[in-house]
Amino acid sequence: MVSTRARSQHPLAEIIETLESGGALLPDSEENVLEVVGVLKSYAIVLDAYSNNLNYIAEHQFLVLFPFFKYFNGDVSAKKLLKHWWHDRFNYEFAEYCMKAMFWHGGGGLDAYLDTPEFIALAQKAINAKLKGNLFMQGLSRAFPEFLIEQVRLLAYYSGLGQFWRVMSDMFMELSDRYDAGEISSISEVVALVKEGLVKNANLPITYAVTIDGKTYDILPKSAGLTFLMDTAVPYVEAVFFKSFPFMGTVSYNAQARAIPSEPERFAYGVLYADPLPTGGAGIPPTLLMQDLRHNVPEYLHQFYRRSLRGEEDLRVMICVSFQKSMFCVTTAAILGLAPHPINTEDPQEQKANRKYLEGWMDKLAESRIANVQVCEM
């Protein structure tokens, strides 16, 4: 059917029209499908580990101010300690990096709830129970009443991100299984599966409670009405895909140097904007993730990388390129899932509303690497 829509005047009009016709931010090709599915299979394994650890910290390291063994998930042994020191482990620091980006940038119902009197009252009950008999910490809490409340807010984000990644890990593993079974063969099908997963889990409750001396204390009760999509997924996309932080050691944080925007709203350091080439350098947080992904890429993707010009010499960079492509697919699913009307609507008014909505997204993506993923970079 020939489209009756007027052509958009936006600089990224071609991509807008691609989305309106059922396409994605990432072009469809056999190689792109292989890269995206392969790297998301590895990501599913990594997110499983990240999610388990974030939830463990939230539930079992509650107000432990010096959590030396927080990355051990309760299994501390000499063998595991040696592996930890040798760095033979997942880089859980990257999970905390993403969590702190969400915490700092805020947004969504979770951020709003953490400033309510209800949350403060619940957090204070848990704090009082945790400090029972600890005169030093009780005195510290009285002297700085906001200190421990802020720690509980941070732990709520540990739990919220852990629950979000739990869903995404299962979703990406299902994608891989269906690809292996021959059920997924196009980028549009990848996007459709992710979109379906986001919609299916949209109203999944986000709750958080801790057990202290055998008694359970709600921190994020079900009555708060926090849900997967609007209160964790959307703020995550905004904080990690778009804003994030300038990488320390690569950009001056000196206010007088004006090397970074003075307003966080203008930050554009997220995964959709980051240049993959510095991956592997000191002070580049995604290097930690790429290292974890490197250990878990499926063999078919590894073979694809070996056929590139440099072979395995820049493996982390190639993984980063594939990962960035996959995140443009996830972003497509989020864009389509949040659209005011079905993207294939024939109603002119609904088409107009969708067009305005898509142009808003393209304004945000204009300075991203969207142009780079339109061509093969391997």
Side-chain angles (χ1 to χ4, degrees), residues 157-218:
Y157 267 92
Y158 272 95
S159 179
L161 181 55
Q163 293 174 70
F164 167 70
W165 271 345
R166 173 73 273 143
V167 173
M168 300 308 292
S169 173
D170 295 341
M171 189 188 303
F172 295 149
M173 191 56 73
E174 178 189 355
L175 172 67
S176 174
D177 291 343
R178 291 182 59 179
Y179 176 78
D180 292 343
E183 299 174 15
I184 298 289
S185 58
S186 70
I187 290 298
S188 293
E189 289 171 341
V190 172
V191 170
L193 185 145
V194 175
K195 177 189 170 187
E196 179 185 335
L198 293 174
V199 172
K200 182 175 71 174
N201 292 284
N203 295 317
L204 183 73
I206 298 296
T207 62
Y208 169 42
V210 293
T211 301
I212 302 171
D213 294 332
K215 185 176 179 180
T216 300
Y217 295 85
D218 282 332

Side-chain angles (χ1 to χ4, degrees), residues 50 71 84 87 89-98 288:
Y50 287 176
Y71 296 147
H84 184 88
H87 218 73
R89 61 177 177 87
F90 284 98
N91 290 291
Y92 296 117
E93 295 90 340
F94 184 77
E96 290 184 305
Y97 170 81
C98 293
L288 300 174

Side-chain angles (χ1 to χ4, degrees), residues 131-146:
L131 301 188
K132 187 177 181 181
N134 189 330
L135 298 179
F136 172 76
M137 287 302 297
Q138 288 175 0
L140 181 66
S141 182
R142 282 193 292 269
F144 305 98
E146 284 296 314

